[in-house]
Amino acid sequence: MKGTLPPIAAALLLVSLFGGRLLPLAMAIGLFVAFGLLKDWQDWPTWPHELWSAPNGTQWLLWGVLAGGLVALLEHLRLLPSRLAAALGVLVAGGSVWLMLVKTQTANQWSTFDIVRHIGGGGFGVALLVLASRTVIARGPANLGPAFVFATMLSADAAVIALSSGLLGQLCGAVAAALGAAAGTSLWRRPFALTAADGTWIGVTHGLFLLAGVHLSALPWSAAGCALLAPCALLLLRPKAAAKPVLWTMAALALTLISLGGAFWFAFQSSLQAGY
């Protein structure tokens, strides 16, 4: 309840009143409040200028997702052109991976090759996820289909990550809850649909949480690798498929669940071996 009620309430209120353009803001508010509640009001997110000298990977993860939401919000409000917003989304993706990992205890023991591989490769991978998510939403049908698919994806991410870290899993679930609640507002207001702008915060969330599961918890690379491929697998759907929204949604769910099913299997096996 602590992890899901804040984002659900924020999404229902803001999206009901102002439409889908405020979904990134609702997600950010819900995630921020959920973090404080899950910490029993004792540990609210530290401000970025304080984290600079006293870094915390989990909190940098949080600020990275919030930064992705800010870029998406500015694009929704037409304060950023689409191409510039996409470029900023890529920068947020790469920068967030660097901030999340560069001063962790594990990173302090890495060689130069490891730093390039994990931080450089991770940043590049999350940047690709941002572009892939934006492309998939732009090509997809302008209805609830993409929202349903990505809400399912983030919910599955949360389940996979929770097998190694309850806190990270619940925080990822908070983001999924915001998206699901926003889609639910279509029951009483005009139809809800994601836009390419939402691909920025969705891609950042998907990538950062899975990398955090590996580096800040005990999620195996086999599970993270399968899950990370999910948005890219959706690129196999041709733009013409959007003309049949129901078939597009079913095909997208099948591609998503294949990747995430493999991720859950590897994560579950790892948790059994670790005795979780």
Side-chain angles (χ1 to χ4, degrees):
M1 292 177 64
K2 293 179 180 179
T4 57
L5 285 182
I8 289 175
L12 290 178
L13 176 63
L14 293 180
V15 177
S16 293
L17 293 176
F18 304 104
R21 64 182 181 275
L22 288 193
L23 171 57
L25 178 60
M27 178 277 298
I29 293 173
L31 179 60
F32 191 91
V33 175
F35 182 90
L37 290 176
L38 290 169
K39 291 289 188 175
D40 293 324
W41 306 97
Q42 298 176 1
D43 186 16
W44 286 94
T46 305
W47 295 109
H49 68 279
E50 297 174 352
L51 284 175
W52 190 258
S53 57
N56 179 289
T58 301
Q59 296 203 25
W60 274 127
L61 160 68
L62 181 74
W63 285 110
V65 174
L66 297 182
L70 176 60
V71 173
L73 177 63
L74 293 176
E75 185 178 0
H76 271 299
L77 298 177
R78 298 183 180 180
L79 298 176
L80 284 177
S82 179
R83 291 185 179 181
L84 178 57
L88 287 176
V90 167
L91 290 176
V92 166
S96 297
V97 172
W98 179 74
L99 290 168
M100 184 176 73
L101 300 181
V102 70
K103 290 187 178 181
T104 62
Q105 183 176 358
T106 303
N108 291 332
Q109 303 172 359
W110 283 343
S111 65
T112 301
F113 175 73
D114 288 332
I115 291 174
V116 173
R117 179 163 59 102
H118 290 299
I119 297 178
F124 181 74
V126 178
L128 287 181
L129 289 174
V130 168
L131 297 177
S133 300
R134 290 177 61 91
T135 301
V136 168
I137 294 173
R139 290 179 178 177
N143 66 356
L144 284 176
F148 183 68
V149 170
F150 280 105
T152 301
M153 182 183 299
L154 293 176
S155 298
D157 287 345
V160 169
I161 295 167
L163 291 173
S164 62
S165 171
L167 175 61
L168 292 176
Q170 289 182 85
L171 290 174
C172 187
V175 180
L179 178 53
T185 61
S186 63
L187 294 174
W188 56 81
R189 65 169 286 131
R190 60 187 180 184
F192 174 85
L194 295 177
T195 69
D198 295 299
T200 298
W201 66 265
I202 290 173
V204 167
T205 299
H206 179 71
L208 287 186
F209 270 102
L210 289 169
L211 289 181
V214 172
H215 294 291
L216 305 181
S217 185
L219 185 69
W221 269 114
S222 54
C226 287
L228 286 168
L229 289 175
C232 300
L234 298 181
L235 293 173
L236 296 174
L237 297 173
R238 295 185 177 183
K240 294 181 179 180
K244 299 180 179 179
V246 174
L247 291 178
W248 185 96
T249 302
M250 293 176 63
L253 280 174
L255 290 171
T256 298
L257 293 177
I258 289 172
S259 296
L260 291 168
F264 187 82
W265 169 259
F266 286 119
F268 182 70
Q269 293 299 314
S270 177
S271 68
L272 288 179
Q273 294 175 6
Y276 292 161

